[in-house]
């Protein structure tokens, strides 16, 4: 918190986004808060301090499909689900509306912003462009599946450490892309290669410098742990 004075002599308090107290405050939001990555970010942080962590998603088992539906098997964040969906149901909508995994964001709905990025069989995809029926039998990881309880994934931890988000809306997609990149040996480890690989994820707040720093920091920690 920085103190400034106006011309009348009264004190006006302004918030220093780089202060250590902000970092401590952000850390208290924990895995569930950062995983949600909702906008606005400060509303989410305030709510995360008051509400218990979300309960794990229970396995869903739909009965016989109705006319016009198709039954599919999805393993999402390690939990097996049997779902009846329409042939034109989009994977993003099924995850958000049926399984209530709302950390994956609906942005442009055209595969251009990257907010809906998640992992299918460890490969990053834009879930807004993918039909749910095409993933029958696949293993899916969303932002909610990265952390282990209160222990953040190294990429998640690096994002809050480097203030790699502002409004927070693109954060979950940025993190999922970063996780995939760090697992892909074909992508170079230099900054230019990371920028190119992350170019499908748009940050309208312009936090690209911090995002890059977070990805490279997470790379070092993940390599050190291996």
């Amino acid at each position: 918190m920085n103190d400034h004075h106006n011309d009348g002599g009264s004190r006006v308090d302004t918030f220093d986004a780089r202060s250590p107290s902000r970092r401590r405050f952000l850390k208290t939001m924990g895995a569930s808060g950062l995983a949600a990555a909702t906008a606005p970010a400060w509303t989410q942080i305030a709510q995360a301090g008051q509400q218990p962590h979300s309960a794990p998603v229970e396995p869903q088992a739909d009965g016989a499909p109705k006319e016009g539906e198709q039954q599919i098997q999805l393993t999402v964040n390690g939990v097996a689900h049997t779902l009846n969906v329409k042939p034109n149901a989009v994977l993003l909508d099924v995850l958000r509306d049926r399984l209530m995994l709302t950390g994956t964001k609906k942005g442009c709905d055209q595969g251009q912003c990257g907010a809906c990025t998640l992992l299918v069989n460890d490969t990053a995809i834009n879930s807004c462009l993918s039909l749910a029926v095409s993933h029958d039998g696949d293993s899916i990881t969303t932002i909610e599946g990265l952390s282990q309880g209160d222990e953040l994934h190294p990429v998640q931890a690096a994002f809050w450490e480097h203030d790699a988000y502002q409004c927070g809306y693109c954060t979950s997609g940025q993190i999922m892309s970063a996780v995939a990149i760090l697992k892909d040996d074909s992508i170079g480890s230099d900054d230019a290669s990371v920028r190119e690989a992350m170019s499908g994820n748009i940050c309208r707040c312009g936090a690209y410098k911090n995002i890059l720093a977070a990805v490279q920091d997470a790379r070092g920690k993940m390599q050190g742990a291996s």
Side-chain angles (χ1 to χ4, degrees):
M1 191 74 77
N2 291 336
D3 296 338
H4 298 282
H5 293 80
N6 62 19
D7 294 338
S10 60
R11 191 178 76 175
V12 177
D13 292 337
T14 59
F15 187 76
D16 184 353
R18 298 166 297 177
S19 67
S21 61
R22 178 176 183 264
R23 291 185 180 279
R24 289 194 296 270
F25 185 48
L26 288 173
K27 189 174 182 179
T28 63
M29 67 191 288
S32 62
L34 186 55
T38 55
W42 287 107
T43 301
Q44 171 214 330
I45 293 169
Q47 292 174 344
Q50 300 171 0
Q51 298 176 353
H53 292 173
S54 299
V57 176
E58 296 296 328
Q60 290 199 18
D62 291 348
K66 299 177 182 178
E67 183 178 356
E69 292 182 336
Q70 182 173 334
Q71 189 167 93
I72 61 173
Q73 308 283 334
L74 298 177
T75 300
V76 184
N77 301 328
V79 180
H81 302 281
T82 301
L83 303 173
N84 298 332
V85 299
K86 293 184 178 180
N88 64 346
V90 175
L91 178 61
L92 171 62
D93 296 333
V94 170
L95 294 173
R96 288 178 56 84
D97 300 337
R98 293 292 310 280
L99 301 183
M100 304 307 294
L101 293 169
T102 56
T104 305
K105 298 305 177 189
K106 181 185 282 287
C108 65
D109 237 4
Q110 297 177 356
Q112 297 180 358
C113 73
C116 67
T117 304
L118 47 74
L119 305 182
V120 175
N121 301 327
D122 290 331
T123 299
I125 70 162
N126 291 322
S127 58
C128 75
L129 296 181
S130 195
L131 295 177
V133 293
S134 68
H135 296 289
D136 186 20
D138 283 345
S139 178
I140 297 170
T141 304
T142 70
I143 188 71
E144 292 92 345
L146 288 185
S147 61
Q148 301 295 323
D150 287 332
E151 183 180 352
L152 296 175
H153 185 280
V155 176
Q156 290 176 302
F159 263 66
W160 73 254
E161 177 65 28
H162 290 273
D163 292 331
Y165 54 92
Q166 292 185 36
C167 79
Y169 200 84
C170 75
T171 303
S172 58
Q174 299 276 2
I175 289 175
M176 298 309 292
S177 288
V179 170
I181 287 169
L182 294 176
K183 290 182 177 180
D184 191 341
D185 294 335
S186 67
I187 297 175
S189 60
D190 58 287
D191 288 356
S193 296
V194 174
R195 288 193 188 97
E196 176 64 25
M198 294 284 292
S199 61
N201 292 82
I202 296 174
C203 174
R204 291 178 174 83
C205 298
Y208 295 112
K209 180 180 179 180
N210 292 13
I211 291 170
L212 175 62
V215 174
Q216 298 295 46
D217 183 26
R219 181 193 304 279
K221 292 178 178 177
M222 291 171 69
Q223 289 176 345
S226 61

